[in-house]
């Protein structure tokens, strides 16, 4: 599980460094300066996550991971990642101190630069942290950026984000990103698989999203998702499932303008709602979140 602050009108809080080093908020990764203890945190995260992903992560994630210079022993060097990514899909990885303001984030994505947190979580935060660190961003996102569909889709989100901000509908678009890029599931011939980076980089949520009877798994529908609030501080109550990654190609192509207009003023859905119009793949028991609400 992972927490990002809610989208606000004025952008998000600064990262750990507090102040942007440059207008686009990029900093030097300073790869040589990571300490042995920091590389060791990466190794622990990498090893336990890698054991979980066979049979849970989608084929495209596994293929991307294999093709990249991402290994257990060291935090990856963004320069080396960028060399491989650039050849495959024209993307680069740039270092940032943590969360950056929305428009800065979108501007990078629109230019096929993925802003990745430079820092790594502390050993006592292995399972929970508020800002995206190098493990979430590199292990979770970068393998999917090797895929041409995801590469185009995330760039389209960058352009779409800039436009949604102007239209005042960023909350609606952010939900689409959340329920696809961060927490999406995809149907594969051998079962449901993870493609969302928030799941793929989380030890507990990888198991929860795929194996647990608690969450709902519902066929992805754009307007439905735009109207659905999400949880930032716990596992998702509902995962939205696409048939294959090509479904995202269509999303990158269509004009969201008329859809924003339709969605505006319509009621929002709670994260755990199941609607009569939903195509339900798994109706969750809701047991996990019910227990959390009772405080047990
Ligand atoms: N900054 N570094 C970073 N990573 C994100 O995923 C991110 C961000 N700033 C804004 C943001 N995400 C989202 O809230 C937008 O996608 C709406
Ligand atoms: Fe992320």
């Amino acid at each position: 599980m992972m927490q990002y602050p809610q989208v606000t009108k004025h952008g998000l809080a600064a990262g750990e460094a507090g102040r942007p080093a440059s207008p686009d908020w990029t900093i030097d990764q300073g790869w040589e300066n990571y300490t042995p203890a920091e590389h060791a945190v990466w190794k622990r995260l990498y090893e336990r996550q890698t054991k979980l992903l066979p049979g849970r992560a989608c084929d495209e994630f596994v293929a991307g991971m294999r093709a990249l210079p991402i290994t257990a022993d060291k935090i990856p060097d963004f320069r080396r990642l960028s060399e491989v990514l650039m050849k495959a899909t024209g993307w680069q990885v740039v270092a940032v101190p943590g969360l950056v303001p929305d428009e800065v984030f979108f501007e990078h994505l629109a230019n096929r630069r993925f802003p990745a947190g430079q820092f790594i979580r502390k050993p006592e935060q292995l399972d929970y942290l508020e800002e995206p660190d190098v493990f979430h961003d590199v292990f979770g996102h970068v393998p999917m950026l090797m895929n041409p569909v995801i590469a185009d889709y995330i760039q389209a989100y960058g352009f779409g984000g800039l436009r949604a901000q102007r239209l005042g509908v960023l909350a609606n678009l952010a939900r689409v990103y959340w329920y696809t890029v961060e927490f999406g599931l995809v149907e594969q011939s051998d079962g449901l698989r993870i493609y969302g980076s928030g799941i793929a980089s989380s030890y507990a949520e990888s198991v929860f999203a795929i194996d647990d009877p608690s969450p709902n798994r519902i066929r992805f529908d754009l307007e439905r998702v735009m109207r659905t609030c999400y949880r930032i501080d716990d596992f998702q109550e509902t995962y939205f499932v696409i048939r294959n990654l090509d479904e995202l190609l269509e999303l990158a192509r269509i004009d969201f303008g008329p859809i924003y207009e339709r969605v505006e003023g319509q009621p929002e859905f709670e994260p755990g709602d199941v609607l009569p119009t939903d195509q339900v793949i798994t109706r969750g028991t809701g047991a996990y979140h019910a227990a959390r609400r009772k405080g047990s």
Side-chain angles (χ1 to χ4, degrees):
M1 99 194 58
M2 153 188 87
Q3 177 178 10
Y4 287 17
Q6 295 282 29
V7 178
T8 64
K9 211 171 154 194
H10 304 288
L12 294 157
E16 288 199 331
R19 212 182 318 282
S22 64
D24 71 358
W25 284 65
T26 58
I27 55 175
D28 191 72
Q29 186 190 7
W31 186 81
E32 296 75 12
N33 303 326
Y34 288 121
T35 65
E38 287 173 324
H39 287 301
V41 171
W42 169 274
K43 187 168 200 272
R44 268 183 79 184
L45 290 165
Y46 177 98
E47 284 180 342
R48 64 176 203 168
Q49 203 62 22
T50 299
K51 280 191 211 130
L52 278 187
L53 294 183
R56 292 199 182 84
C58 68
D59 293 342
E60 292 85 352
F61 183 92
V62 175
M65 187 66 83
R66 282 217 184 96
L68 284 160
I70 299 180
T71 60
D73 28 300
K74 291 281 162 69
I75 295 170
D77 184 331
F78 294 178
R79 293 165 295 197
R80 298 193 53 218
L81 294 175
S82 296
E83 269 175 43
V84 176
L85 261 183
M86 181 57 82
K87 283 191 194 119
T89 57
W91 275 78
Q92 283 171 269
V93 181
V94 296
V96 290
L99 283 165
V100 299
D102 292 340
E103 61 276 9
V104 174
F105 185 61
F106 298 142
E107 191 70 39
H108 281 301
L109 300 184
N111 289 288
R112 284 172 111 86
R113 289 188 303 265
F114 194 81
Q118 180 274 344
F119 74 100
I120 189 147
R121 65 197 72 180
K122 303 276 172 281
E124 61 274 16
Q125 300 174 303
L126 288 197
D127 297 304
Y128 182 85
L129 82 165
E130 293 187 3
E131 286 198 77
D133 72 340
V134 63
F135 187 74
H136 167 75
D137 281 330
V138 170
F139 191 97
H141 284 285
V142 174
M144 292 308 294
L145 286 170
M146 290 289 283
N147 179 269
V149 171
I150 297 286
D152 287 357
Y153 179 69
I154 296 184
Q155 181 181 29
Y157 177 71
F159 287 118
L162 295 169
R163 181 181 183 210
Q165 267 190 325
R166 287 196 301 273
L167 298 172
V169 293
L170 184 52
N172 296 113
L173 181 67
R175 290 169 182 163
V176 181
Y177 185 81
W178 190 263
Y179 283 118
T180 58
V181 172
E182 294 291 355
F183 291 96
L185 296 181
V186 58
E187 227 165 30
Q188 229 170 252
S189 56
D190 47 355
L192 295 187
R193 292 290 183 271
I194 299 159
Y195 75 94
S197 309
I199 312 175
S201 62
S202 163
Y203 185 67
E205 195 152 3
S206 294
V207 175
F208 183 79
I210 295 294
D211 304 328
D212 204 282
S214 188
N216 303 307
R217 299 175 185 90
I218 294 174
R219 170 90 43 223
F220 180 89
D221 177 87
L222 181 57
E223 286 188 39
R224 157 60 155 116
V225 165
M226 274 190 185
R227 293 170 59 186
T228 308
C229 304
Y230 53 81
R231 315 196 68 97
I232 59 169
D233 57 349
D234 206 339
F235 301 145
Q236 301 306 305
E237 285 187 68
T238 298
Y239 299 95
F240 291 95
V241 180
I242 57 175
R243 288 197 168 81
N244 49 57
L245 295 184
D246 285 349
E247 222 175 289
L248 301 178
L249 263 188
E250 177 63 11
L251 287 185
R253 256 199 295 262
I254 60 174
D255 179 8
F256 280 18
I259 304 170
Y260 291 137
E261 280 178 30
R262 265 206 303 279
V263 160
E264 206 197 327
Q266 291 194 311
E268 295 186 338
F269 305 120
E270 291 306 313
D273 287 353
V274 177
L275 315 174
T277 46
D278 282 339
Q279 236 180 290
V280 179
I281 295 165
T282 319
R283 178 71 153 100
T285 61
Y288 172 83
H289 291 91
R292 297 279 287 193
R293 277 188 275 267
K294 270 204 278 179
S296 57

